[in-house]
Amino acid sequence: MPAIQHTVVDSPYDPLTLVAVDGVLSRVHMTGQRHRPPEETFGEPDPRPFGEAIRQLDAYFAGELTEFELPLNLIGTPFQLRVWEGLLRIPYGETRTYGELAEELGNSGASRAVGLANGKNPVSIIVPCHRVVGASGNLTGYGGGLDRKQRLLAFESGTAAPAALF
């Protein structure tokens, strides 16, 4: 049986719950997030596996880090894993539409499926699902809420200072 631990850290987006499976970051959940699993699945409270993730999240929120370099234990279907890997290729401060991401994955007709996989992203912020927008450029669907998505995008585009995120 895998060892599962969690810790809760402060962020400009309310507390974040970090979950590790066998010592590797597997999930980052926001308070009130859609598709947030029950807390009893978060394992034992133990901050030890999360030192580097916390350091990088702090640097990100301080505006000092634009790309996370963390080992991740992503658990999903093969298609979800491909979508989440595609999310990791969207540069800081940029966005892609669901259709563009589907095209990059080699299936231009899969924008809805990309949207569903995007919504199931288990590692918010670090796997930047907030960087995906609707075909018209409008903000659509975000498990953490559209307000958080808008604040993350404004922060990354340089139109909001980190302190303005609170």
Side-chain angles (χ1 to χ4, degrees):
M1 182 148 228
I4 302 173
Q5 301 98 4
H6 79 278
T7 194
V8 178
V9 297
D10 288 329
S11 88
Y13 302 96
D14 300 320
L16 298 175
T17 302
L18 284 61
V19 179
V21 175
D22 291 331
V24 181
L25 186 66
S26 182
R27 295 183 277 163
V28 175
H29 298 294
M30 296 176 179
T31 303
Q33 176 179 339
R34 190 174 9 155
H35 305 300
R36 180 182 167 114
E39 290 193 22
E40 55 267 16
T41 67
F42 295 170
E44 295 298 316
D46 184 351
R48 289 178 295 169
F50 305 102
E52 184 60 18
I54 293 168
R55 187 193 70 72
Q56 289 189 34
L57 282 165
D58 287 345
Y60 170 82
F61 292 128
E64 300 165 356
L65 180 81
T66 60
E67 187 174 336
F68 292 93
E69 294 183 20
L70 293 168
L72 299 173
N73 182 2
L74 299 175
I75 300 166
T77 67
F79 181 75
Q80 287 172 331
L81 293 171
R82 286 185 52 223
V83 169
W84 301 336
E85 289 168 7
L87 296 173
L88 289 167
R89 291 189 295 273
I90 303 172
Y92 180 91
E94 295 184 21
T95 60
R96 299 287 184 275
T97 66
Y98 296 100
E100 289 170 335
L101 189 53
E103 181 86 25
E104 289 174 19
L105 295 173
N107 190 348
S108 60
S111 60
R112 286 188 118 174
V114 164
L116 290 171
N118 192 53
K120 297 279 185 153
N121 171 22
V123 186
S124 299
I125 301 171
I126 293 169
V127 176
C129 55
H130 60 278
R131 296 180 188 156
V132 183
V133 297
S136 65
N138 290 336
L139 300 186
T140 60
Y142 184 60
L146 290 180
D147 178 60
R148 285 183 180 135
K149 182 173 187 167
Q150 187 222 351
R151 291 187 298 148
L152 279 164
L153 291 174
F155 168 60
E156 289 188 2
S157 70
T159 59
L165 300 174
F166 288 94

